Structure formats: structure tokens, C-alpha cells
Amino acid sequence: MVACCIQRHVTRPQDLAARYGGEEFVVLLPDTPLEGAEKVAERIRAEIEKTAFRVSGEILHLTISIGVCSVSPARADATKEIFACADEALYEAKGQGRNRVVTNRAQGQAVGASFST
């Protein structure tokens, strides 16, 4: 359900949305400026907030915290650094009261995002 909402906003062939852990998702938006990634993240956040999810006959309303990281890695195996950058922004979003998008800019343009419901 949440994954479907996220996937609707990940539209280019090179973009990727995937579950990353129990309640977390990752969205990769290669060659996307930070401002573009923030717009995608905010559209996802707003859709999750307004969507009524039916679970076991009950209607649930969820919110989502999103950490956006903009980085151009210096090496191909910089995965840990990219996820740490996005996680830092995610935990900042949660610390600010949840249901928000927070960005963390490293250098460059490849963007990763970390989501938690």
C-alpha cells in the first residue's frame, strides 16, 4: 500500500523505489538536483498523509518522514556513506516531529532518499 504510493511518484526508467527494512523504503533518483528530489519527496509525503489505507477491515491514516540526501559519490562503493547521509536526514525529520521532508546535502547530484512510516 505505502509502496504503491511511493512507486507512483518514481516515474523515470533510471529511478528506483524499494523496501529497505521493515518500515523503511529507499528511492534513488540518479541525476536529479536536490530541488527535484525534494519535490518528489513532498509529493510522496502529501499522498501518504491524505490516503486512507484499509487494513483488516479498518481504515488507517499514516504519515511518513522522509530524509533526502543529495550526493555525487567519489567512488562506486560509497553505498554506506550515501545511506548514512539519507538516514541522518530521516532521523532529523523524525526529531522535528515526523510527517515532514528534511534534506541533507553532500556534494553533487545523485540523490538517495530514506523513508519511514
Side-chain angles (χ1 to χ4, degrees):
M1 299 174 291
V2 171
C4 290
C5 287
I6 292 170
Q7 189 63 49
R8 278 195 288 276
H9 298 280
V10 180
T11 57
R12 301 178 311 173
Q14 70 268 30
D15 297 342
L16 172 72
R19 183 175 295 275
Y20 185 75
E23 296 180 350
E24 292 188 349
F25 297 85
V26 63
V27 174
L28 299 176
L29 305 170
D31 300 318
T32 303
L34 180 61
E35 296 76 22
E38 288 173 315
K39 287 178 184 177
V40 170
E42 181 54 35
R43 285 194 299 262
I44 291 168
R45 190 208 60 76
E47 182 173 342
I48 296 293
E49 181 180 41
K50 73 177 183 180
T51 300
F53 295 94
R54 182 175 296 279
V55 178
S56 299
E58 293 187 39
I59 299 296
L60 300 177
H61 294 276
L62 306 175
T63 61
I64 189 168
S65 300
I66 301 175
V68 177
C69 174
S70 177
V71 61
S72 183
R75 52 184 219 287
D77 64 346
T79 307
K80 287 182 183 178
E81 292 88 348
I82 294 168
F83 278 92
C85 176
D87 269 349
E88 185 177 308
L90 171 62
Y91 288 106
E92 180 68 23
K94 288 179 176 183
Q96 289 181 16
R98 302 180 182 259
N99 195 31
R100 64 191 68 234
V101 174
V102 171
T103 61
N104 185 4
R105 182 187 289 269
Q107 296 176 347
Q109 300 208 12
V111 176
S114 190
F115 301 80
S116 180
T117 55

